[in-house]
Amino acid sequence: MRIGYGEDTHQLIEGRPLRLGGVAIPSERGPLAHSDGDALLHALTDALLAAIGEGDIGALFPDDDPENKNRPSRDFLRAARERAEAAGYRVIQVSAAVILDRPKLGPYRDSIRASIAELLGISPDRVGLTFKTSEGLALEHIQVRAVALLLPLDQL
Ligand code: C5P
Ligand code: MG
């Protein structure tokens, strides 16, 4: 059994689209980022890579490589899943906490869980997703923390 932890933070600025877990969220502000800035997919990608001891998202997709500019973050998580499967592991469960003051994310929880579940090839009930405000301490940022549990393919 393997576990991995990952996190991501992005500054939020006006006029940028907000994507979380591959889902577009109506918002006045979105992340300043080289890619699409999907902090949830970035944190999950790092959690998977950490679980198999393979570095992190920036090692796989350097942010100074023009090929990665505005790249959909789904590609990152898919690549991490492929790495995990190549190493002999299957993702069993993930859990993430998103810290964001606005907008409220509750209405999008199920669609985000479904999107992540599809990317990871697991059922949505194996995607835990919680939301917290920063109580006004980080109004200009989004932060995500995520964990992943993987099992060796021969133990499934
Ligand atoms: O941060 P706080 O404990 O005040 O958040 C209260 C609840 O608001 C959370 O448990 C969550 O259900 C919801 N929430 C949300 N979207 C956010 C932040 C919090 O739906 N961006
Ligand atoms: Mg990021």
Side-chain angles (χ1 to χ4, degrees):
M1 187 183 298
R2 296 286 190 101
I3 62 159
Y5 175 77
E7 56 177 78
D8 195 31
T9 302
H10 281 270
Q11 188 184 347
L12 298 172
I13 57 169
E14 274 182 30
R16 289 270 304 189
L18 176 64
R19 292 189 77 83
L20 276 177
V23 174
I25 311 286
S27 173
E28 285 171 10
R29 294 181 305 165
L32 182 62
H34 185 71
S35 69
D36 66 5
D38 191 321
L40 179 50
L41 293 185
H42 297 174
L44 285 166
T45 299
D46 271 0
L48 262 62
L49 293 174
I52 55 167
E54 282 207 23
D56 59 26
I57 195 169
L60 241 64
F61 299 99
D63 65 6
D64 54 5
D65 182 341
E67 272 220 356
N68 295 330
K69 193 164 166 53
N70 295 323
R71 187 166 187 156
S73 298
R74 284 194 177 92
D75 288 4
F76 304 151
L77 188 59
R78 269 201 210 99
R81 177 187 168 186
E82 282 166 18
R83 293 262 180 150
E85 288 175 358
Y89 290 92
R90 172 87 35 92
V91 179
I92 295 302
Q93 194 187 340
V94 294
S95 182
V98 179
I99 299 126
L100 178 72
D101 286 64
R102 281 189 300 269
K104 284 286 181 200
L105 295 171
Y108 306 100
R109 191 186 326 262
D110 287 345
S111 47
I112 296 173
R113 291 174 74 211
S115 168
I116 292 168
E118 199 258 319
L119 284 167
L120 294 176
I122 57 180
S123 67
D125 64 292
R126 288 174 175 249
V127 179
L129 189 57
T130 58
F131 307 124
K132 296 299 286 182
T133 69
S134 75
E135 296 286 350
L137 293 172
L139 285 170
E140 310 298 324
H141 294 85
I142 181 168
Q143 305 166 72
V144 182
R145 326 210 200 280
V147 289
L149 177 67
L150 281 63
L151 271 187
L153 294 168
D154 62 11
Q155 282 181 30
L156 290 175

